[in-house]
Amino acid sequence: YVWAHLESQKKEIEADQRALEIAAAAGFDPQAAVSALRKLNRGHLDDHGFLEGLVSTHPSPATRGHALESQAREIRRRR
């Protein structure tokens, strides 16, 4: 059960990264995804607590935000 949730979180991060690549290839600023995530989470990127993180099917906003920021830097570096 926990393993399936952790695998689901991993796939969500991969989906975010693929979406960012597609958006950047279409000419959108990759950093805009991080800004959008912050707006959706009321201006901040909180982390799940330990137990909530184990049973959640999605990564915490903080985990998603950090992954997107890293991916956005990589995309900008390649340009």
Side-chain angles (χ1 to χ4, degrees), residues 23-61:
F28 291 95
D29 178 7
Q31 188 61 35
V34 179
S35 297
L37 185 61
R38 280 199 177 100
K39 286 177 185 174
L40 289 171
N41 289 288
R42 298 185 183 103
H44 50 73
L45 298 175
D46 290 333
D47 212 353
H48 288 160
F50 176 73
L51 291 177
E52 185 180 352
L54 289 178
V55 297
S56 178
T57 58
H58 285 69
S60 71

Side-chain angles (χ1 to χ4, degrees), residues 10-21 64:
K10 179 182 171 189
K11 290 190 182 304
E12 286 292 329
I13 293 291
E14 290 171 0
D16 286 347
Q17 291 174 336
R18 286 189 185 125
L20 195 61
E21 290 284 347
R64 289 179 97 164

